Amino acid sequence: TTELVSRSDQRRGGEAVSEVELLRDIDLAILDIDGDSTVEEIERLFLQSLSRFARVKELTSKPLCLVFTGSDFRPLSECRGSTALPRAVPLTTALAPLAQGSNIEPCRLIERHDDPDLIDLLAVSGPCLISPVHTSTHQLVCILVLSASGDVEETVLRDPQTHRGWAGLTSQLSIALGQFEQVRFQNAMQQLWGSFLGHNLEPSACFRTLAQSISTFLPVFGPLSAFDRKPQTQILLLKEQFASSGGFGHFVIRGTTGQEHSGTRVDFSRSISGLLINSDDALFYGDPTHESYKERYRNYFGNAEHQARTELVVRMYSGGECVGVINLESERENAFSAQDQRTILDLAKTV
């Protein structure tokens, strides 16, 4: 505790200025997270916590939260402000290992010689301190960036005590985000089961409800414009047990957000979902219009204007047997993050 307190009993504008008080306030915020909490409140918690930490250390540069999209990093809108920060930050030398999951350092100091491209993109004059925020399943969500301006601030940024405090802050915010997503998932699941019971567990109505409810399970933290939170969704069931079909057969559409009729047959050989069924992969994720899939992809949403650029397919199981798939399609490129993919996998197991 003594190490973490930088200026005990000092206050500015009524805000706590010790790291201990900051971490305590985050703990209290975590306890307050419930089904009524919104993503705006969580984003505000992140940004206010980062700003308060910078004030504790008397750093004048604005801290940043860069959200991982799967192919690059996007700043929370409030982080951009009047800075020259670009809309998207690519996977530079220092960021690529984080994206690949090969760098698990809780906190790393990046000097200009380590990654000049990143320093230039962030429009900072000196080094910066970066820490990754992960989900409970070790999926990268975002990175937190603390920078310095001037020799005095750079000395503070290189101080091991600052590193420990920044790593501690990152850990607490990771817990807060994990709690928020867990509560959201549980809340959405309770509403889904309530809808099923409201339909007296009638299969057709339940599958339609499931298809329409998929988007409520997708994580919402981050730059929403980078992702598609309202993808087209289908629930496709196998006509018969896959093991007895010899790897050939078809699905039947049982739930959809599109206009295709329930009961429409989808041949394995004429769908990306069929490609997943005939492989050992946990999921399919990619561009269905790619040259290698042109003989297989078909639009089964009954809407000629739907032009999918990203497709995500995961299996559903019952009694250890594959009984069908959940299929998501978006007109955006790279529409589903790694966290989205994990969430849909978890949903498929739960349902």
Side-chain angles (χ1 to χ4, degrees), residues 175-289:
I175 293 172
L177 182 59
Q179 174 71 4
F180 172 67
E181 291 295 355
Q182 183 180 22
V183 168
R184 280 192 69 252
F185 190 93
Q186 293 172 347
N187 226 30
M189 187 59 69
Q190 288 176 357
Q191 293 176 5
L192 182 62
W193 292 134
S195 298
F196 286 175
L197 293 175
H199 293 305
N200 294 319
L201 299 182
E202 196 279 317
S204 296
C206 289
F207 287 127
R208 285 196 301 270
T209 299
L210 176 59
Q212 294 164 1
S213 301
I214 292 294
S215 62
T216 64
F217 289 90
L218 294 175
V220 294
F221 180 86
L224 302 186
S225 61
F227 307 116
D228 188 351
R229 303 297 88 183
K230 293 289 185 181
Q232 294 279 19
T233 306
Q234 285 177 334
I235 309 301
L236 305 173
L237 296 189
L238 294 173
K239 182 64 176 176
E240 58 187 356
Q241 284 191 331
F242 179 67
S244 62
S245 69
F248 301 95
H250 60 267
F251 299 103
V252 176
I253 298 176
R254 290 303 185 195
T256 181
T257 56
Q259 301 170 18
E260 193 64 73
H261 295 295
S262 177
T264 300
R265 293 188 176 192
V266 178
D267 193 279
F268 285 177
S269 64
R270 293 179 175 271
S271 70
I272 300 297
S273 298
L275 183 66
L276 176 66
I277 288 294
N278 284 297
S279 76
D280 295 325
D281 297 330
L283 56 79
F284 171 87
Y285 178 68
D287 182 353
T289 64

Side-chain angles (χ1 to χ4, degrees), residues 7-116:
R7 293 168 184 84
S8 61
D9 299 325
Q10 294 182 20
R11 292 182 178 273
R12 289 183 187 161
E15 286 200 26
V17 294
S18 78
E19 292 173 42
V20 167
E21 290 171 311
L22 173 54
L23 296 179
R24 178 208 62 197
D25 289 347
I26 297 176
D27 282 338
L28 294 175
I30 293 173
L31 293 175
D32 285 339
I33 293 174
D34 57 24
D36 296 325
S37 299
T38 66
V39 65
E40 290 79 14
E41 291 172 345
I42 299 302
E43 292 181 356
R44 195 178 307 121
L45 172 64
F46 266 65
L47 296 177
Q48 289 179 349
S49 299
L50 300 184
S51 295
R52 287 177 62 184
F53 185 90
R55 284 197 292 272
V56 166
K57 296 298 182 181
E58 296 188 348
L59 300 175
T60 56
S61 298
K62 192 173 185 178
L64 303 173
C65 178
L66 304 179
V67 182
F68 183 50
T69 69
S71 57
D72 57 25
F73 291 87
R74 308 287 178 92
L76 290 178
S77 56
E78 293 85 350
C79 282
R80 298 188 70 185
S82 59
T83 68
L85 192 66
R87 181 174 179 273
V89 178
L91 303 182
T92 63
T93 302
L95 299 184
L98 293 175
Q100 297 163 2
S102 57
N103 188 330
I104 57 174
E105 293 180 78
C107 182
R108 182 184 176 191
L109 184 69
I110 306 297
E111 304 275 6
R112 174 169 286 278
H113 65 265
D114 295 321
D115 193 341

